[in-house]
Amino acid sequence: MTGVGGTGYALIALGPAFSLFVTVIASKPFLILTVLGSAMMWLVSLIACAILWRAFLPGAVWTFLPLLITVVGIQEAVRLYYWCLYLKVEHFLNKLAAKVSKPQLVATDKIQIAIASGLGHGIAHSVFFCLSLLTPAFGPATYYIDSCVHMPLFLVAAFMGLGFLLLHTFSMVIAFNALAGDKHFHQLFVPVMHLCASLLTMVNLLPGGCIAGVPMTLICAVVTMAVAGKIVWDKTSTGSAELGNLQRVHSSSSL
Amino acid sequence: MRSVPDLENAMYQSLQGYPCVRLLNVTGELGCANPGRTKAIAPIQRFQDANSVQLSAPRTVLLPSSALVGFLKRLEEADGSSSSLEQQVAGLLIEYDNLSFPEVAGFSADSIFPQAEFAPYDTKSYQWNPTGSGIMYRRLNFPVFLLHKNSTDDVQALAAKNERVGFKYPLNVAEFNAVMRTTKAGTHTTESCLRENSCLPLGGYSVWSALPAMNVSSPTGKPIVLAIASMDSSSFFHDVAPGADSPLSGMLALLAAVDALAEMGGLETLKKQLVFLVLTGESFGYLGSRQFLAQLKSDSNFVMGLNATSIYQVLEVGSVGQAYDSTFYVHKQASAATTPTLQILNALKAAAVSLKDSTSKPQVKPASPSNPGIPPSSLMSFVHKDPTTAGVVLEEFDTIFKNKFYHSQYDDASNINVEVIASAASLVARALYMLASDNTADTTILKSIQVNVSLVEAMVGCLFHQEPGMTCELVKSLMTPSQSFTTHYVGVFQGEPSAIPDPYYIEDTSRFVWNFLADRTELNRKEWKKFPAQNEECTDACKNPEEVCVASTADHKGRCIVSTTRYVPAFSPRLGYDESSGWQLLPLETGDTMGAADPVYTESFWSTIGLQVYLQESSWFDEMVLFLGVSITAFSFFAIICTKAVFQKRLKRA
């Protein structure tokens, strides 16, 4: 659909990621490294899924169900492993900061690290499931699949990419908060939302399903963003006492 | 679909078709091309016939082949008032058909009197070719393709889809790539494009051969009987110009005659020398015959052993594939010298008499005296040079062409009859023997000259069928073709004119004819056949300068033989070739009537010619998508900055 269309699709899918990167991530080298590390971790999880499912694909449509469930399961397990790694890194960073008499990690830092981790996941997802599919969009032709005559394939891919990018980014914020504070509801929220969003994409397989499937993915993303926003709002709403508590909690944990 | 490359393949469908390309002449351009430097893209719309074409926006017009002439005529007539019709035609696609022409009696892309400007008589309005439409000479400012059978079905389906959605985007479009170098270079005549190196002149290599082989360095001085045929044809779509009846049936008859005569012994004792000449480039200004005569005049190396004065009689074998009533007509110019011309007619009659016991029983009749002169033929070049030339043209028709598909894609194997050609070959072989013997040979000897019908059948299979095509046994035993299905359009002259041209630059048909004639006219052929190992092996040249290397193929080496078979370049005598500056237009010589009439055709260079179809959105949709993407990005920017500001305020407050 020419360079004009192709650029449009790329901006739909990755525009918010780009904005987030430029405004939040780019100024702090550690966050850039976090984005890369998190993306790498997500790719490793994808490789594990691929190895597991190689023997069974390509398969019938019903194989999508166990496929999605196992893949989401593996990715959530990797998320927990990532959290463990993060704790070790946080511990190390705090010790280092104590040695050089620099301040410890505060809440805002942790939120930023969470956003960067989520963004790493989201960008890796976009690059793999969306960007490569968008390359033909820069040519003069367009493509509609039989089960979706309302939107070009590229528009569907761009919106899905956008939805999952936001979902992954803000899921990580929720997850970090939930695992640190041991809040069970939020701990469950992340994998359940991830699974729901993934299973809802199967609506796109139905004839004309993309009319419902794409908005549903975006709705999942918006809900996740809202929950993450509420968490951060709550975290910063209490007085300095809470913040002081946070600091004290950190100094004790750094020992 | 398993991958992104699979997706791209599904998005773009390449079509198979034959293009019409840009030719230039001294006054301007003809043929078809993309109007500018870019690809031509427009939605496909199908119409049933020429008159129903109504265009509200630029479209790729899809028409059945019966509508082509009518549509081009409409564009020509509309020039001025609704030339908006031509402006809305982005490209033209012609459907393949199985020649179901119930309404039309025939189709010819050439004019009603083909190449009338070269006729050595004044009646230029005589209708030799009544089905002629002249579309070959039209200049069109859009690309035109003739679709293959499979692609026709695909494109019809896409056009139907477009109709179903009422031409609302997204639509199936055709993308034409037929950008010509001459358009890019801004050169619009032969002279300018040759100077700027954006085109090449039309031409190729004719072949002449002597039976029996002559000693070219010291010729015997025997009068020569020259038998001529042509191997090139034309059509609106150059890639499909089979020319089966016109003129290749004549060439097949001549080659089969040579094959029959080669079996005869004692030819060296006859009073005259037989020389065969197969010309190319005749459809585009009699390039072969005129260049041959120019070479004779300048006594060049190409025609060593021949000279203009030694050519005593000329017998041209024209279209002979449709003489279903077994009657062949002998055409001659009124100014031809009486006695030697009459001798040719008598030789042909004697040959017919000797064949009266055969199954075909051919008859020979002089053409009607009400004809203005000889039909369009290579003999016209000889007549211009010398009006008293004792020459005749043997044709299947009397007053008008029998071939209803002269110079069109339909002049294929179904348009000729093998037995008729074999019968013509017998006539020609026996008549040539008669002439060589000065009309003294008796019927017994004539009856021993037998044409091999299966040879004619094999040649038809090689030259006019997809299977076996040029990879047939007959051709493969003599040379390795560059492609299996060949068109008989002469093409451009490649390389520089050379006495021993690089085989890479010679068309398959010329190479086949050369090898065939060399093989058949080999000196002492019968003896050498008994002892094949005696011939020296070779790939292209022989140690002995008297010898030539024949039947050198990719599978086996050739053999060096003594044969007077040579290539003669065929290109317009109005052109000269120079090592440093390449081709250039020479000034016109006074008295050169044919040169004055010569359009001097050249063909533009191009980088690729292609045709593909795909689904396209309107540019409005693309712009909306870009707008949406930019908005989302901008919105997220502002949202993040606002959120950051809000949270920073909250933290400060706390």
Side-chain angles (χ1 to χ4, degrees):
Chain A
M1 310 184 46
T2 69
V4 166
T7 314
Y9 291 125
L11 284 177
I12 291 174
L14 287 171
F18 177 71
S19 308
L20 204 55
F21 192 86
V22 165
T23 50
V24 176
I25 315 281
S27 48
K28 301 192 175 165
F30 182 74
L31 291 180
I32 300 177
L33 292 173
T34 310
V35 169
L36 291 173
S38 154
M40 192 89 70
M41 187 67 91
W42 194 87
L43 288 179
V44 167
S45 75
L46 205 60
I47 291 171
C49 300
I51 290 173
L52 178 68
W53 275 92
R54 182 68 184 89
F56 306 98
L57 292 173
V61 173
W62 64 262
T63 56
F64 286 171
L65 193 60
L67 173 69
L68 287 174
I69 294 173
T70 50
V71 168
V72 170
I74 289 174
Q75 289 187 342
E76 292 305 321
V78 166
R79 196 196 297 274
L80 289 174
Y81 179 65
Y82 184 82
W83 167 253
C84 294
L85 281 180
Y86 164 72
L87 283 179
K88 293 209 180 90
V89 170
E90 185 195 46
H91 180 83
F92 175 77
L93 283 176
N94 282 337
K95 261 175 96 170
L96 191 62
K99 263 207 192 126
V100 297
S101 315
K102 284 273 169 73
Q104 307 265 289
L105 287 172
V106 293
T108 41
D109 293 330
K110 295 185 193 182
I111 291 169
Q112 285 177 335
I113 294 175
I115 289 180
S117 308
L119 193 63
H121 271 35
I123 289 180
H125 174 101
S126 279
V127 167
F128 261 78
F129 289 100
C130 181
L131 265 192
S132 52
L133 198 59
L134 286 185
T135 7
F138 286 88
T142 185
Y143 192 73
Y144 286 71
I145 48 177
D146 296 331
S147 55
C148 185
V149 294
H150 304 100
M151 297 192 250
L153 175 67
F154 306 111
L155 194 59
V156 174
F159 279 129
M160 302 293 280
L162 174 64
F164 274 93
L165 183 118
L166 296 173
L167 189 96
H168 282 310
T169 307
F170 294 101
S171 293
M172 200 56 104
V173 173
I174 302 172
F176 268 38
N177 178 262
L179 290 163
D182 208 25
K183 299 196 181 100
H184 293 291
F185 171 69
H186 284 149
Q187 276 178 1
L188 277 178
F189 175 83
V190 167
V192 166
M193 182 51 104
H194 190 180
L195 188 64
C196 274
S198 300
L199 291 176
L200 281 174
T201 59
M202 284 179 47
V203 170
N204 289 330
L205 294 172
L206 301 170
C210 54
I211 280 284
V214 169
M216 283 204 269
T217 308
L218 292 171
I219 288 171
C220 291
V222 167
V223 168
T224 311
M225 267 173 31
V227 171
K230 175 119 192 346
I231 289 175
V232 177
W233 184 264
D234 289 341
K235 234 199 171 80
T236 54
S237 69
T238 45
S240 49
E242 251 294 312
L243 283 172
N245 272 342
L246 284 168
Q247 282 193 307
R248 260 178 267 134
V249 164
H250 280 298
S251 11
S252 55
S253 70
S254 66
L255 296 165
Chain B
M1 252 190 286
R2 304 272 295 274
S3 61
V4 175
D6 284 350
L7 174 64
E8 278 211 71
N9 286 338
M11 283 165 70
Y12 297 94
Q13 190 185 2
S14 203
L15 294 180
Q16 290 185 295
Y18 306 108
C20 155
V21 296
R22 176 68 78 223
L23 290 184
L24 300 95
N25 58 30
V26 284
T27 47
E29 299 176 326
L30 55 153
C32 330
N34 275 32
R37 295 151 178 264
T38 51
K39 301 186 187 167
I41 307 173
I44 308 170
Q45 192 167 6
R46 185 178 190 275
F47 295 96
Q48 276 286 84
D49 53 59
N51 290 322
S52 58
V53 177
Q54 298 272 33
L55 302 177
S56 48
R59 295 270 185 257
T60 297
V61 178
L62 176 66
L63 287 175
S65 55
S66 51
L68 173 60
V69 174
F71 183 62
L72 292 183
K73 208 175 257 172
R74 251 191 90 185
L75 292 179
E76 198 174 19
E77 281 156 16
D79 225 357
S81 59
S82 53
S83 64
S84 55
L85 178 63
E86 176 151 6
Q87 278 170 10
Q88 302 284 48
V89 179
L92 183 58
L93 292 175
I94 302 295
E95 295 172 352
Y96 168 91
D97 71 18
N98 256 322
L99 190 54
S100 49
F101 267 60
E103 318 89 37
V104 184
F107 168 66
S108 168
D110 214 321
S111 36
I112 290 186
F113 185 157
Q115 307 202 84
E117 58 272 21
F118 291 104
Y121 44 82
D122 290 325
T123 329
K124 312 282 190 189
S125 57
Y126 186 78
Q127 301 202 351
W128 285 110
N129 181 28
T131 61
S133 62
I135 60 173
M136 236 170 81
Y137 300 104
R138 285 286 304 275
R139 179 190 183 277
L140 296 173
N141 213 23
F142 49 81
V144 184
F145 276 74
L146 173 67
L147 294 169
H148 267 227
K149 189 170 192 305
N150 300 338
S151 295
T152 302
D153 297 330
D154 293 339
V155 177
Q156 280 175 335
L158 294 174
K161 277 198 197 139
N162 282 357
E163 284 289 348
R164 261 207 306 277
V165 299
F167 284 91
K168 285 206 193 58
Y169 276 96
L171 288 172
N172 290 300
V173 301
E175 181 191 89
F176 294 87
N177 191 354
V179 177
M180 299 286 146
R181 178 92 75 84
T182 49
T183 319
K184 294 207 272 198
T187 53
H188 301 293
T189 62
T190 287
E191 185 160 16
S192 56
C193 80
L194 283 175
R195 214 183 13 244
E196 297 298 320
N197 243 324
S198 54
C199 65
L200 276 180
L202 297 192
Y205 283 94
S206 312
V207 181
W208 71 271
S209 184
L211 182 72
M214 305 188 308
N215 187 342
V216 295
S217 25
S218 45
T220 51
K222 274 191 198 172
I224 292 176
V225 174
L226 183 65
I228 308 177
S230 304
M231 57 172 143
D232 82 296
S233 181
S234 178
S235 88
F236 190 71
F237 305 101
H238 295 158
D239 288 337
V240 59
D245 189 30
S246 304
L248 275 97
S249 59
M251 182 188 88
L252 294 191
L254 185 61
L255 294 182
V258 174
D259 178 73
L261 286 169
E263 297 297 313
M264 301 295 292
L267 288 167
E268 56 284 344
T269 59
L270 297 176
K271 297 216 176 66
K272 299 196 202 122
Q273 169 77 50
L274 288 176
V275 173
F276 312 106
L277 176 61
V278 181
L279 298 163
T280 190
E282 296 300 277
S283 314
F284 286 95
Y286 297 114
L287 305 177
S289 48
R290 288 167 57 218
Q291 186 61 236
F292 176 74
L293 290 171
Q295 299 285 337
L296 274 185
K297 189 163 159 200
S298 61
D299 215 3
S300 75
N301 281 339
F302 294 113
V303 292
M304 186 155 66
L306 302 174
N307 74 59
T309 48
S310 55
I311 297 180
Y312 183 63
Q313 285 158 321
V314 180
L315 167 59
E316 181 173 349
V317 190
S319 309
V320 293
Q322 289 191 22
Y324 300 116
D325 53 0
S326 288
T327 308
F328 297 94
Y329 295 90
V330 181
H331 296 254
K332 70 173 180 60
Q333 197 60 14
S335 55
T338 331
T339 329
T341 317
L342 191 58
Q343 195 187 47
I344 310 178
L345 180 59
N346 288 337
L348 283 163
K349 282 190 171 155
V353 163
S354 76
L355 284 166
K356 68 174 169 18
D357 298 323
S358 70
T359 39
S360 53
K361 296 194 206 352
Q363 287 197 43
V364 166
K365 289 201 179 129
S368 165
S370 61
N371 287 358
I374 48 177
S377 53
S378 312
L379 190 61
M380 285 182 166
S381 308
F382 289 82
V383 171
H384 268 284
K385 182 181 77 77
D386 176 4
T388 64
T389 305
V392 304
V393 189
L394 187 70
E395 302 271 19
E396 68 206 0
F397 59 84
D398 187 9
T399 53
I400 56 169
F401 285 1
K402 262 214 174 79
N403 187 1
K404 301 268 172 285
F405 301 108
Y406 180 80
H407 283 180
S408 78
Q409 65 264 35
Y410 303 111
D411 192 3
D412 55 23
S414 60
N415 208 28
I416 51 173
N417 183 293
V418 168
E419 276 78 29
V420 169
I421 297 177
S423 159
S426 304
L427 263 183
V428 169
R430 295 182 183 195
L432 286 176
Y433 190 92
M434 267 301 267
L435 282 174
S437 71
D438 214 13
N439 281 26
T440 55
D442 61 43
T443 330
T444 347
I445 298 188
L446 283 189
K447 285 197 173 173
S448 64
I449 303 174
Q450 293 291 336
V451 158
N452 184 349
V453 184
S454 54
L455 171 67
V456 178
E457 187 143 11
M459 288 197 284
V460 169
C462 302
L463 292 169
F464 307 119
H465 285 290
Q466 298 260 19
E467 295 289 324
M470 293 295 272
T471 51
C472 61
E473 280 308 313
L474 174 62
V475 172
K476 275 199 336 198
S477 64
L478 291 170
M479 54 154 259
T480 307
S482 61
Q483 54 199 40
S484 96
F485 188 59
T486 172
T487 175
H488 298 116
Y489 162 65
V490 62
V492 294
F493 194 96
Q494 303 191 43
E496 27 182 291
S498 155
I500 312 211
D502 189 341
Y504 182 74
Y505 292 138
I506 314 175
E507 290 285 321
D508 286 348
T509 323
S510 298
R511 276 194 299 136
F512 165 64
V513 169
W514 187 94
N515 277 288
F516 183 90
L517 287 177
D519 180 72
R520 296 309 193 262
T521 62
E522 179 187 351
L523 195 65
N524 300 324
R525 182 161 175 256
K526 283 189 156 151
E527 284 77 53
W528 284 125
K529 270 189 150 174
K530 291 187 207 145
F531 308 104
Q534 296 208 16
N535 290 112
E536 175 200 333
E537 277 194 340
C538 58
T539 40
D540 45 44
C542 294
K543 288 197 209 89
N544 187 343
E546 302 282 310
E547 293 180 344
V548 293
C549 185
V550 70
S552 164
T553 73
D555 298 327
H556 56 77
K557 286 198 168 173
R559 55 185 205 282
C560 286
I561 55 169
V562 178
S563 169
T564 317
T565 307
R566 308 281 185 266
Y567 286 108
V568 184
F571 58 87
S572 172
R574 289 287 326 270
L575 296 173
Y577 186 83
D578 184 81
E579 276 276 346
S580 48
S581 41
W583 292 100
Q584 52 213 350
L585 192 64
L586 302 170
L588 187 59
E589 289 174 20
T590 43
D592 184 5
T593 9
M594 282 197 122
D598 188 0
V600 194
Y601 291 111
T602 50
E603 188 184 288
S604 171
F605 282 121
W606 65 76
S607 53
T608 45
I609 292 197
L611 178 63
Q612 63 178 356
V613 289
Y614 47 82
L615 192 64
Q616 192 185 52
E617 295 283 359
S618 60
S619 49
W620 171 89
F621 184 91
D622 285 338
E623 284 156 21
M624 288 314 292
V625 167
L626 181 65
F627 179 71
L628 184 62
V630 169
S631 315
I632 288 178
T633 310
F635 175 76
S636 57
F637 238 114
F638 288 124
I640 294 166
I641 290 173
C642 289
T643 318
K644 255 176 112 173
V646 164
F647 280 112
Q648 271 171 357
K649 251 205 204 137
R650 284 172 74 79
L651 288 171
K652 272 215 183 86
R653 238 187 288 130

